Amino acid sequence: MALISFDGVGVSAMAGCVPRQVIHNYEYTDYFPADQVKEVVDKVGVFERRFADKDTCSSDLCYAAAEQLIKDNDICREDIDLLVFLSQTPDYRMPATSIILQHRLGLPNHCVAFDIQLGCAGFSYALSVVYGMMQGGNFHKAMVLDGETRSKVYSPKDRRSAFIFGDGGIAALVERDERFGKSWFSLNSDGSRHDLIMIKGGGYRYPSSEETLRERVVDEYGNIRSDEQGYMRGGDVFTFVIREIPRDIKKTLEYAGLDKDQVDFFVFHQANNYINSYIAKKMKLDTAKIPHTIEKFGNTSSVSVPLTIVSELKDQLQGHKTLLLSAFGVGMSWSTAIVSFDHCHISEIVEI
């Protein structure tokens, strides 16, 4: 467990973007009977999702969110000296999508830009990197762009994942200011479980080929996917989560010297309703403090935590608020962050 704290850095504004195409899960019946669909949808609690079209990438969602952020907060583009793009669905293998976004957004050439390739736990990781660079270097305004088009990487013929994932993007403005006070992060990884959530084919270990692209039946239930589409071992992931996440939240609260009652909102990764309900019950958390978006956006991977903030806490972050962010996923990696929001301006969600 890597425990890190920062002082005088925080998120001052946020914006979000989702595709305008709405997928109604009860009607997502091209490959499965309606009764099976209803059973799965009711269990995972995802009733709607947003799917990007074939020409829209994660960067497009982040670009739209960033432009809204700049417009609503009257940000001078020349003042942005750091840009981090977080995604596992980038535009290209190379170059880094952050560099493309730096140019597309009209940010100055002195702006440092780089990608972070991490899954569902990634937003807190990205914040910790940016907070550290800002506290230790000559950076004053930074932009974190987090986007995913997970609909493009999971098979609609595999019911274990076909009804869960959606697309979205966010932009967050991070600034140095003493008003934010302290923040605390716990960052964790366990590569021995790297195969619990995975896309095996299409990289350099197993390059794209006719074989990796071929769809095939993968289990006794008739689920179909190729090696270039994602899979999850859901039962093993659940076992992992219920053991590690409550313990990590408790440890981070102890590290920060805070009680759970001092947290204004607990923002969890939107994996499924059952997991989050289990964690809330196990830790005896006030459910009124737990916003959720899984029913209307599904699991948007690393975007799910910040998108939930943008969607559900827009009018509730005036004044000084303490948020606990908790996420887990591919890797396996997991993170807990306790961060302060002070008069954070959140824009209306953009649709493209």
Side-chain angles (χ1 to χ4, degrees):
M1 179 183 296
L3 295 170
I4 316 166
S5 65
F6 303 101
D7 197 4
V9 184
V11 177
S12 59
M14 297 181 72
C17 175
V18 294
R20 61 170 48 95
Q21 181 186 11
V22 180
I23 303 299
H24 300 280
N25 261 357
Y26 284 136
E27 301 170 10
Y28 200 59
T29 55
D30 287 352
Y31 301 105
F32 303 101
D35 59 335
Q36 289 186 19
V37 170
K38 186 177 187 307
E39 179 183 355
V40 173
V41 171
D42 288 345
K43 182 176 181 180
V44 299
V46 180
F47 303 109
E48 293 181 0
R49 296 172 289 160
R50 301 299 183 98
F51 277 16
D53 62 37
K54 64 182 182 63
D55 297 318
T56 299
C57 294
S58 301
S59 68
D60 300 311
L61 299 171
C62 287
Y63 172 79
E67 284 291 332
Q68 193 69 40
L69 184 79
I70 290 169
K71 175 185 175 183
D72 289 351
N73 296 278
D74 197 24
I75 298 168
C76 176
R77 297 172 198 262
E78 285 291 320
D79 291 342
I80 303 296
D81 40 30
L82 175 61
L83 184 154
V84 171
F85 175 71
L86 168 66
S87 183
Q88 289 196 315
T89 53
D91 287 17
Y92 307 103
R93 291 184 183 179
M94 61 179 188
T97 305
S98 56
I99 308 291
I100 297 170
L101 281 165
Q102 172 267 328
H103 171 70
R104 188 177 177 189
L105 287 166
L107 304 184
N109 288 349
H110 67 252
C111 175
V112 177
F114 59 90
D115 289 10
I116 294 178
Q117 197 261 45
L118 198 63
C120 305
F123 184 66
S124 290
Y125 274 79
L127 284 185
S128 72
V129 170
V130 171
Y131 280 27
M133 292 182 69
M134 295 190 76
Q135 186 168 288
N138 191 30
F139 299 101
H140 298 281
K141 290 183 186 293
M143 195 175 287
V144 175
L145 304 181
D146 182 357
E148 292 287 357
T149 51
R150 289 288 177 156
S151 67
K152 299 176 186 289
V153 299
Y154 283 94
S155 170
K157 303 175 186 178
D158 184 348
R159 66 178 179 182
R160 293 172 301 182
S161 57
F163 301 93
I164 298 174
F165 293 95
D167 305 335
I170 66 94
L173 181 68
V174 180
E175 297 189 77
R176 287 169 57 181
D177 195 306
E178 293 303 317
R179 78 179 195 271
F180 292 112
K182 294 200 70 173
S183 56
W184 300 266
F185 292 79
S186 171
L187 308 175
N188 313 268
S189 52
D190 182 0
S192 71
R193 292 177 168 83
H194 72 276
D195 60 346
L196 297 191
I197 307 171
M198 194 175 187
I199 299 175
K200 185 176 181 179
Y204 297 104
R205 178 70 64 186
Y206 298 99
S208 290
S209 66
E210 184 177 330
E211 179 62 21
T212 64
L213 290 166
R214 182 175 62 85
E215 290 186 339
R216 63 183 185 279
V217 177
V218 294
D219 58 27
E220 67 272 25
Y221 304 106
N223 289 307
I224 297 172
R225 61 173 168 79
S226 75
D227 283 340
E228 297 201 24
Q229 292 171 314
Y231 72 86
M232 293 188 303
R233 286 163 46 187
D236 292 331
V237 171
F238 177 73
T239 300
F240 168 85
V241 168
I242 62 174
R243 184 182 69 247
E244 298 293 349
I245 301 308
R247 180 163 60 187
D248 194 49
I249 292 172
K250 182 179 178 182
K251 197 74 174 180
T252 309
L253 285 167
E254 291 174 354
Y255 175 57
L258 297 175
D259 184 86
K260 63 186 179 182
D261 293 334
Q262 294 174 273
V263 175
D264 293 298
F265 296 103
F266 296 85
V267 187
F268 293 134
H269 171 48
Q270 303 294 289
N272 66 54
N273 267 339
Y274 185 79
I275 287 178
N276 289 348
S277 297
Y278 179 92
I279 295 171
K281 184 176 180 180
K282 182 177 178 65
M283 300 200 68
K284 300 179 180 178
L285 302 178
D286 181 356
T287 55
K289 292 184 174 183
I290 306 175
H292 51 87
T293 54
I294 189 168
E295 67 279 357
K296 60 184 177 182
F297 295 133
N299 181 341
T300 54
S301 189
S302 62
V303 187
S304 75
V305 165
L307 184 59
T308 298
I309 295 172
V310 172
S311 173
E312 304 305 305
L313 300 182
K314 181 182 185 303
D315 299 317
Q316 300 184 62
L317 296 183
Q318 299 308 306
H320 195 85
K321 302 294 183 181
T322 299
L323 274 61
L324 186 147
L325 318 179
S326 174
F328 60 88
V330 59
M332 295 293 286
S333 61
W334 65 107
S335 61
T336 304
I338 301 174
V339 293
S340 295
F341 282 66
D342 192 276
H343 293 285
C344 181
H345 181 268
I346 297 182
S347 299
E348 293 287 348
I349 292 179
V350 179
E351 295 185 350
I352 63 171

